[in-house]
């Protein structure tokens, strides 16, 4: 049996698909299980033991710009996939997408598996439609529901997403830590990785929290954020919020304004991490130190029951309006527990 999983979403979404990949491999050890991903998220599952091969296509559109080279690369990729003659293609997207379903049909797979809801099933018929599932079900568990057409018995407990830190990233991390006077587990990572200000800690919270961690635990803080201005139309950054924190020159705070891949290396060696709801929060959840996830406005934004961190050492806090309203003592208690969990697992 040859199965292709189509995954076009962001890096956090791809990580939350790893339980489904692992369970599929366990259920069908001799099947060929391949993934069709884009150049932005494919690295997340590079070397994953459940995956035989990753077909990677280039995004041909960035904003309003179209790359003819990337468009041609996509055509070649899909021709190669059609030649492979897959039995099943699983559209493992977060939400229903006509574009994703068109890509699934382009693969030439005999059977298509996809979530559908209401009129979608009439306008976009597939051979194995899965009724849209409650948004209160965790995303990683929702991905597992896509295995129902195979008659697979689903796990009774929520499986943890997995990620293997590449050796080259670990080497870079150790070098960076040494250059900045740090060792592994001698720091906490605090990130801004959310596009909405209400989901991010305030300047005053960052000052109080990081000083507390240093005074009580003798742990410095690596403060990381997404480079760029908040009004960037393609991918908004956090410079406007982060730079005043950096300018305060707190001796216990070390700034990191860098790319995602090095950031993950630093997260992997941290005592623990704190992140708003974001892709990096999910990677931190899979790391040895775990994570405290911060959620706000969950009446109109994704709820922790759907997008909360999943891992061996994780916790979260949510607030009706803004992270800035979270009591410091609640944060400290959660972080104390995570640090203790990391110490036991060391």
């Amino acid at each position: 049996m040859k199965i292709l999983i189509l995954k076009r979403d962001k890096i956090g979404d791809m990580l939350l698909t790893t339980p489904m990949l692992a369970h599929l491999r366990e259920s069908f050890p001799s099947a060929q299980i391949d993934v069709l991903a884009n150049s932005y998220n494919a690295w997340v599952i590079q070397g994953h033991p459940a995956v035989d091969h990753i077909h990677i296509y280039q995004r041909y559109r960035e904003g309003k710009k179209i790359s003819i080279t990337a468009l041609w690369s996509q055509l070649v990729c899909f021709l190669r996939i059609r030649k492979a003659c897959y039995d099943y293609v699983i559209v493992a997207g977060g939400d229903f997408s006509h574009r994703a379903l068109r890509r699934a049909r382009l693969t030439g797979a005999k059977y298509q598996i996809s979530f559908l809801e209401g009129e979608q099933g009439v306008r976009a018929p597939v051979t194995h439609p899965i009724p849209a599932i409650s948004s209160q079900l965790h995303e990683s568990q929702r991905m597992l529901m896509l295995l129902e057409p195979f008659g697979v018995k689903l796990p009774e407990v929520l499986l943890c997403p997995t990620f293997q830190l590449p050796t080259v990233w670990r080497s870079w991390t150790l070098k960076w830590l040494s250059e900045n006077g740090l060792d592994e587990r001698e720091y906490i990572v605090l990130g801004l990785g959310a596009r909405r200000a209400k989901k991010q800690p305030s300047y005053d919270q960052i000052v109080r929290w990081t000083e507390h961690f240093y005074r009580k635990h003798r742990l410095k803080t690596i403060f990381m954020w997404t480079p760029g201005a908040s009004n960037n139309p393609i991918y908004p950054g956090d410079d406007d919020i982060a730079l005043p924190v950096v300018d305060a020159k707190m001796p216990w705070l070390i700034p990191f304004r860098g790319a995602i891949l090095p950031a993950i290396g630093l997260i992997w060696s941290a005592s623990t991490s704190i992140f708003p709801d974001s892709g990096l929060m999910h990677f931190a959840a899979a790391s040895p130190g775990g994570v405290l996830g911060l959620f706000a406005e969950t009446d109109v934004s994704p709820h922790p029951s759907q997008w909360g961190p999943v891992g061996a050492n994780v916790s979260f806090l949510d607030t009706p309006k803004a992270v800035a309203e979270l009591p410091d003592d609640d944060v400290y208690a959660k972080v104390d527990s995570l640090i203790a969990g990391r110490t036991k697992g060391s």
Side-chain angles (χ1 to χ4, degrees):
M1 181 165 56
K2 302 176 72 172
I3 305 169
L4 179 67
I5 291 90
L6 169 59
K7 191 66 177 176
R8 304 166 51 250
D9 300 314
K10 301 169 186 174
I11 59 173
D13 299 67
M14 177 65 90
L15 186 67
L16 293 179
T17 306
T18 57
M20 182 258 276
L21 294 172
H23 195 61
L24 184 60
R25 171 58 68 199
E26 182 181 0
S27 303
F28 300 102
S30 62
Q32 180 177 329
I33 301 173
D34 297 345
V35 175
L36 172 58
N38 58 52
S39 53
Y40 175 75
N41 67 5
W43 58 267
V44 176
I45 55 168
Q46 199 75 48
H48 195 285
V51 178
D52 292 306
H53 179 73
I54 305 173
H55 298 280
I56 303 175
Y57 68 88
Q58 300 291 323
R59 288 179 167 182
Y60 67 84
R61 186 188 298 273
E62 286 290 344
K64 296 182 179 180
K65 296 181 179 179
I66 295 179
S67 168
I68 301 301
T69 302
L71 194 59
W72 174 255
S73 175
Q74 277 200 30
L75 175 61
V76 173
C77 178
F78 276 90
L79 288 173
R80 185 166 57 247
I81 289 171
R82 291 183 71 89
K83 188 176 180 181
C85 298
Y86 286 95
D87 299 303
Y88 291 89
V89 58
I90 301 175
V91 184
D95 296 311
F96 173 77
S97 166
H98 283 285
R99 182 180 298 177
L101 197 53
R102 283 197 299 270
R103 289 185 185 278
R105 292 199 179 102
L106 286 174
T107 66
K110 186 176 181 180
Y111 305 109
Q112 310 92 38
I113 301 173
S114 176
F115 288 122
L116 292 177
E117 182 176 7
E119 291 297 319
Q120 294 171 348
V122 177
R123 292 183 284 114
V126 298
T127 60
H128 292 74
I130 306 293
I133 299 169
S134 169
S135 61
Q136 294 304 303
L137 194 66
H138 196 277
E139 183 66 8
S140 60
Q141 192 173 1
R142 204 168 72 91
M143 291 295 101
L144 282 160
M145 300 299 289
L146 288 164
L147 303 184
E148 281 189 346
F150 297 102
V152 171
K153 183 179 179 181
L154 301 183
E156 296 180 357
V157 297
L158 194 60
L159 301 179
C160 296
T162 56
F163 178 75
Q164 185 64 43
L165 185 72
T167 302
V168 65
W169 295 10
R170 176 164 170 75
S171 299
W172 180 93
T173 299
L174 295 177
K175 181 175 181 294
W176 190 94
L177 292 176
S178 176
E179 291 172 349
N180 286 272
L182 289 174
D183 199 354
E184 292 185 287
R185 297 184 294 282
E186 287 187 350
Y187 61 91
I188 288 174
V189 168
L190 174 59
L192 289 180
R195 298 186 183 189
R196 298 175 60 188
K198 289 185 177 182
K199 293 186 176 185
Q200 298 173 324
S202 68
Y203 171 90
D204 290 337
Q205 283 176 314
I206 294 169
V207 172
R208 292 195 305 269
W209 295 354
T210 57
E211 182 175 9
H212 172 85
F213 302 145
Y214 184 68
R215 302 298 183 198
K216 180 175 182 178
H217 300 288
R218 307 309 296 175
L219 294 172
K220 292 188 175 181
T221 296
I222 293 181
F223 176 58
M224 59 176 59
W225 70 96
T226 303
S230 58
N231 60 356
N232 186 311
I234 297 177
Y235 200 94
D238 299 314
D239 284 349
D240 297 344
I241 301 173
L243 294 181
V245 175
V246 176
D247 290 342
K249 299 187 184 301
M250 292 173 276
W252 54 80
L253 186 141
I254 302 171
F256 179 79
R257 181 185 185 271
I260 290 174
L261 307 190
I264 293 174
L266 294 173
I267 289 168
W268 234 251
S269 291
S271 179
T272 193
S273 299
I274 304 173
F275 276 97
D277 175 23
S278 61
L280 284 179
M281 179 196 72
H282 294 296
F283 279 92
S287 74
V291 70
L292 171 60
L294 305 178
F295 290 78
E297 288 190 310
T298 51
D299 56 334
V300 295
S301 298
H303 195 273
S305 62
Q306 181 187 6
W307 292 101
V310 179
N313 190 34
V314 302
S315 191
F316 69 85
L317 288 168
D318 66 285
T319 176
K321 294 184 179 180
V323 167
E325 298 177 340
L326 285 174
D328 290 347
D329 288 343
D330 290 358
V331 174
Y332 300 156
K334 294 286 188 180
V335 171
D336 286 351
S337 178
L338 292 171
I339 291 173
R342 176 65 165 89
T343 301
K344 291 176 183 178
S346 298

